[in-house]
């Protein structure tokens, strides 16, 4: 039987002589009580709390607290799920448990194979009657809902988005009427939005205010979680409607992940409503179309290469990420003087540690779940989370840590400052040439 190892592994849940029925309302709770009072021979199979405490840091224990609460709730829900599963099969009621007729085939099958009745009945029922499966299932569902809630929640930059900017402009006048009022827009995915990583757009806003003072341009955050390059192209109309003077584009991490993993490719295609899974060729073609649309709108464009994926420089993911960076460079070089390439991949790749953590979808999902709890429940510091996970560039193998975000802020700020100086100098020279030179009469007499 393929489930025999699983039965042996969880044989401590029920004593060998017990007659507890798994479909009974109190079966799950009685199993938990039996596990709590098990003998010493069984306890040796379970890690001690001292070993657990040594393996988990102080911040990690705070993170695991909601996990333990969630697991307890899921274990309590398991008997109820089992009861409803029994009703749906028609073999039991909510209060009486399974009937003798419904247990007869199980008893005959168990006796025919020489197996204990309890062991067979504990694992031959529906999957919802298994407390372990219930705990794992409800935990995955809860964390998936948590990630979806965080991904769609209102962020601190939601008041400074293209939509909010257009709404204010519609109430008080046209958007970007004066040259100095034209905004700077940061276009991208979750790396730009900043509610799952360090918010470099907010840092850019503060840095430009310190440089230009009252003449600082308005910085708008146009980052949306889980967006690929095609999704950003679909949102380009709202960006152009703001008449931006400068646009930075950081996209491609999700395209890369979708290309490397069939599972992630399906998820991005389904939730992003894409016609096909992104590839490197479609990514470069989409960036070229975005470039032409923004240049036609009169904006200066900075194309930022996506950062490293995972923290192993020679991994297949980062070797492919290097090809994505070269594609971004080609797109920027083909746009002329108003396009700039920002080598963010090269900077983050140079900062990788010798013994890094390679990208893994399961590890990323687990760290992302913990990150949602750490950031939005415990309000923990990103640098502390990064040190706890022994990461140097990212905080979960994808999203940016504080140091990488500061590097990106400096590079985009340099692009904006240089572009503004280039566009403002000819205007000043023209004004000086237009002013007539008035020479006093005594000066002429002396000459």
């Amino acid at each position: 039987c393929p489930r025999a190892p699983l039965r042996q592994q969880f044989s401590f849940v029920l004593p060998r002589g017990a007659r507890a029925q798994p479909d009974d309302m109190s079966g799950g709770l009685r199993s938990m009580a039996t596990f709590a009072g098990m003998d010493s021979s069984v306890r040796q199979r379970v890690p001690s709390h001292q070993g657990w405490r040594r393996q988990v840091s102080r911040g990690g224990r705070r993170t695991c607290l909601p996990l333990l609460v969630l697991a307890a709730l899921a274990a309590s829900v398991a008997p109820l799920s089992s009861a409803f599963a029994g009703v749906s099969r028609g073999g039991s009621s909510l209060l009486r448990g399974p009937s003798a007729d419904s247990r007869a085939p199980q008893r005959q099958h168990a006796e025919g194979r020489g197996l204990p009745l309890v062991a067979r009945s504990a694992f031959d029922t529906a999957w919802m009657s298994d407390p372990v499966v219930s705990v794992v299932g409800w935990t995955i569902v809860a964390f998936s809902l948590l990630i979806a809630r965080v991904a769609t929640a209102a962020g601190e930059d939601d008041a400074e988005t293209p939509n909010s900017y257009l709404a204010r402009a519609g109430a008080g006048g046209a958007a970007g009427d004066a040259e100095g009022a034209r905004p700077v827009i940061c276009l991208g995915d979750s790396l730009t939005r900043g509610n799952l990583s360090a918010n470099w757009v907010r840092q850019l806003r503060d840095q430009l205010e310190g440089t230009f003072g009252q003449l600082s341009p308005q910085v708008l955050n146009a980052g949306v979680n889980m967006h690929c390059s095609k999704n950003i192209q679909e949102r380009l109309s709202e960006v152009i409607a703001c008449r931006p003077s400068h646009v930075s584009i950081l996209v491609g991490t999700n395209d890369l992940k979708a290309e490397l993993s069939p599972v992630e490719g399906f998820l991005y295609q389904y939730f992003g409503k894409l016609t096909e899974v992104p590839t490197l060729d479609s990514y470069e073609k989409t960036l070229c179309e975005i470039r032409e649309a923004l240049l036609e709108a009169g904006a200066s464009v900075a194309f930022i290469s996506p950062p490293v994926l995972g923290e192993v420089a020679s991994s297949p993911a980062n070797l492919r990420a290097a090809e994505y960076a070269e594609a971004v460079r080609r797109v920027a070089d083909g746009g002329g003087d108003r396009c700039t390439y920002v080598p963010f991949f090269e900077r983050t790749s140079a900062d990788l540690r010798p013994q890094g953590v390679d990208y893994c979808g399961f590890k990323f999902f687990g760290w992302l779940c913990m990150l949602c709890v750490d950031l939005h429940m415990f309000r923990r510091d990103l640098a502390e989370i990064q040190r706890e996970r022994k990461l140097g560039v990212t905080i979960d193998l994808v999203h940016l840590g504080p140091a990488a975000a500061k590097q990106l802020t400096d590079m985009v700020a340099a692009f904006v400052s240089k572009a503004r100086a280039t566009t403002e100098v000819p205007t000043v020279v023209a004004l000086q040439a237009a002013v007539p030179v008035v020479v006093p009469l005594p000066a002429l007499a002396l000459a």
Side-chain angles (χ1 to χ4, degrees), residues 370-426:
M370 297 298 100
L371 186 64
C372 294
V373 176
D374 287 333
L375 289 181
H376 300 277
M377 290 182 61
F378 295 124
R379 306 293 180 180
R380 295 182 61 196
D381 182 61
L382 283 176
E384 179 186 358
I385 298 174
Q386 194 175 36
R387 288 192 302 268
E388 187 178 281
R389 298 176 176 181
K390 299 181 180 180
L391 299 174
V393 176
T394 67
I395 54 178
D396 57 4
L397 304 178
V398 173
H399 297 102
L400 303 179
K406 183 62 171 62
Q407 289 181 352
L408 181 57
T409 300
D410 294 338
M411 289 189 289
V412 177
F415 155 72
V416 175
S417 301
K418 180 180 178 181
R420 282 174 64 91
T422 303
T423 56
E424 289 175 1
V425 168

Side-chain angles (χ1 to χ4, degrees), residues 134-208:
S134 298
V135 169
V136 174
W138 285 108
T139 302
I140 293 176
V141 170
F143 272 113
S144 300
L145 294 177
L146 174 62
I147 293 176
R149 178 69 181 90
V150 172
T152 58
E156 56 185 7
D157 273 351
D158 279 12
E160 301 294 339
T161 62
N163 285 332
S164 60
Y165 177 80
L166 292 175
R168 292 193 300 268
D177 287 334
E179 181 68 24
R182 297 177 66 181
V184 174
I185 297 182
C186 301
L187 188 60
D189 47 27
S190 60
L191 301 183
T192 300
R193 182 171 185 182
N195 66 340
L196 291 173
S197 63
N199 194 336
W200 68 270
V201 178
R202 185 184 67 240
Q203 299 177 18
L204 175 65
R205 186 181 299 119
D206 297 338
Q207 188 164 333
L208 292 180

Side-chain angles (χ1 to χ4, degrees), residues 117-138:
L117 175 61
V118 174
R120 292 300 301 176
S121 61
F123 291 94
D124 281 349
T125 54
W127 66 271
M128 296 178 69
S129 64
D130 190 348
V132 176
V133 175
S134 298
V135 169
V136 174
W138 285 108

